[in-house]
Amino acid sequence: MQIIDLHCDALLKLYEADGKIRFADAPELDTNRERLRKGDVKLQAFAIFIWPGMKAEEKFQAALDQVHWFYTDVLGNNPDMKLIRDWSDIDSLKEGETGALLTLEGVDAIGNDLKKLSILHQLGVRSVGLTWNNANLAADGAGEPRGAGLTTFGREIVQFNNEHQILTDVSHLCEKAFWDVIETADYPIASHSNARSVRDHVRNLYDEQAKALFDKGGMIHVVYCPAFIKEGTVTIDDLIRHIDHFCGLGGEKFIGLGSDFDGIADKVENLADASMQQNLINELLKKYSEDQVKGFAYRNFLENLPK
């Protein structure tokens, strides 16, 4: 069964390796081309991520360097990887091709300059998360004790996203900033988050947040990071409990997958990289109908895209 995975950090690994590994088959990459093909991943989102501790004047260049590796290696060395620049491009993917979607995880790289976001949009970014866990000039992240909402600049970013049919990703936001996004964003989404009622972790969403997303047509893509699923050893069944919970909140048509591969050191048992994605599908088929599982795997995302 085809899969859409809305989050991975392969670009960070390619950037840090600086040409010493190749996307096609590097064993260091959970989402290399071979593994995506084996896991039947039809669309993979590739996040641009900048470590908060990097010097401010170096951050935008680091983002551009990750875009460089996206174009020269992910796309340039793999002709069956196809850039998704317009949402309609997904429908044009042929048999054997995988879509590559560029996203931004935290706007630290743009400082306070909306022109830099415009440049990244022109280079292909179609989903923007305002923060990672830290605070920046747009909002406070989930790890910032202050817990403040969107700044004026943050609201300008959301408006830019609305005008260009860019998804506004809430996955790393603090709770106040989340509610500000729900109030202002036309296309909110959680690219890699789980249910806080199942696992009480600051990176997960409260039931009220999940229902607010569903009410706005926003997707929640469950994440495979064990720390966000449960304590101790984590199985695929443990991950499915988060899907069960979101379904119980009325979210069956708004659930997707956002692995966080290449951004997590610990793994769910039998779900260690993209080649094992079908293990999750097979377990889901034991509990849900094929039609429902197709929804989780890819169709819900396609049906809730900006129009």
Side-chain angles (χ1 to χ4, degrees):
M1 185 180 294
Q2 292 182 353
I3 282 175
I4 289 176
D5 178 0
L6 214 61
H7 192 82
C8 84
D9 285 295
L11 295 184
L12 179 64
K13 285 186 175 179
L14 288 169
Y15 162 72
E16 292 179 339
D18 196 25
K20 295 180 179 66
I21 62 175
R22 287 288 176 260
F23 174 74
D25 57 3
E28 298 91 340
L29 294 177
D30 300 334
T31 52
N32 68 35
R33 183 68 191 106
E34 287 185 1
R35 286 170 170 164
L36 291 178
R37 187 181 293 112
K38 186 173 181 181
D40 202 7
V41 178
K42 191 63 175 177
L43 173 66
Q44 180 66 58
F46 293 87
I48 301 166
F49 172 72
I50 308 300
W51 288 112
M54 180 176 285
K55 293 179 180 178
E57 61 270 21
E58 297 175 356
K59 289 182 175 181
F60 190 61
Q61 184 58 55
L64 294 179
D65 287 349
Q66 290 182 42
V67 174
H68 164 79
W69 293 115
F70 177 75
Y71 275 95
T72 60
D73 190 4
V74 175
L75 297 175
N77 292 327
N78 301 276
D80 53 354
M81 296 291 298
K82 299 297 181 181
L83 174 66
I84 301 301
R85 182 176 290 277
D86 297 311
W87 295 118
S88 60
D89 292 342
I90 301 173
D91 295 331
S92 302
L93 292 171
K94 299 181 176 64
E95 186 71 26
E97 293 180 341
T98 296
L101 178 69
L102 199 56
T103 70
L104 182 62
E105 184 176 22
V107 298
D108 297 50
I110 71 170
N112 64 350
D113 189 350
L114 204 59
K115 294 190 296 295
K116 291 180 179 178
L117 181 59
S118 178
I119 290 169
L120 292 176
H121 171 251
Q122 292 174 64
L123 290 171
V125 167
R126 294 298 178 266
S127 178
V128 172
L130 298 178
T131 69
W132 188 56
N133 294 328
N134 56 299
N136 59 25
L137 297 178
D140 281 2
E144 169 55 56
R146 177 178 54 183
L150 297 186
T151 64
T152 299
F153 183 57
R155 292 176 184 273
E156 291 173 355
I157 291 171
V158 173
Q159 182 60 33
F160 180 91
N161 292 348
N162 292 345
E163 292 171 356
H164 294 86
Q165 292 192 322
I166 298 171
L167 305 177
T168 298
D169 188 355
V170 302
S171 275
H172 278 277
L173 288 175
C174 73
E175 190 176 358
K176 176 66 168 66
F178 169 93
W179 289 112
D180 287 348
V181 167
I182 289 296
E183 177 186 321
T184 56
D186 291 342
Y187 313 110
I189 196 166
S191 67
H192 56 305
S193 293
N194 289 338
R196 198 151 180 173
S197 290
V198 179
R199 168 63 166 148
D200 188 9
H201 192 287
V202 69
R203 270 282 284 104
N204 289 339
L205 297 169
Y206 289 111
D207 290 357
E208 293 78 9
Q209 293 176 293
K211 287 187 284 189
L213 273 170
F214 301 153
D215 288 345
K216 260 204 128 165
M219 295 279 296
I220 298 176
H221 291 247
V222 295
V223 59
Y224 306 176
C225 178
F228 306 160
I229 299 171
K230 70 181 284 284
E231 291 189 62
T233 302
V234 178
T235 67
I236 290 176
D237 281 343
D238 295 322
L239 175 59
I240 290 174
R241 289 190 184 95
H242 290 264
I243 293 176
D244 296 340
H245 186 78
F246 286 138
C247 283
L249 298 176
E252 180 187 328
K253 301 295 186 182
F254 302 98
I255 296 168
L257 306 176
S259 68
D260 206 5
F261 283 142
D262 291 308
I264 51 176
D266 299 324
K267 305 294 176 61
V268 177
E269 286 188 348
N270 298 315
L271 197 56
D273 60 54
S275 71
M276 301 183 185
Q277 289 272 27
Q278 295 303 313
N279 291 342
L280 172 57
I281 299 302
N282 292 335
E283 292 303 312
L284 282 167
L285 287 169
K286 295 177 182 178
K287 297 192 66 174
Y288 293 94
S289 70
E290 183 177 358
D291 190 62
Q292 288 172 309
V293 177
K294 284 181 177 178
F296 305 149
Y298 66 91
R299 196 173 58 208
N300 288 347
F301 179 72
L302 298 178
E303 292 181 350
N304 289 290
L305 284 172
K307 293 179 175 63

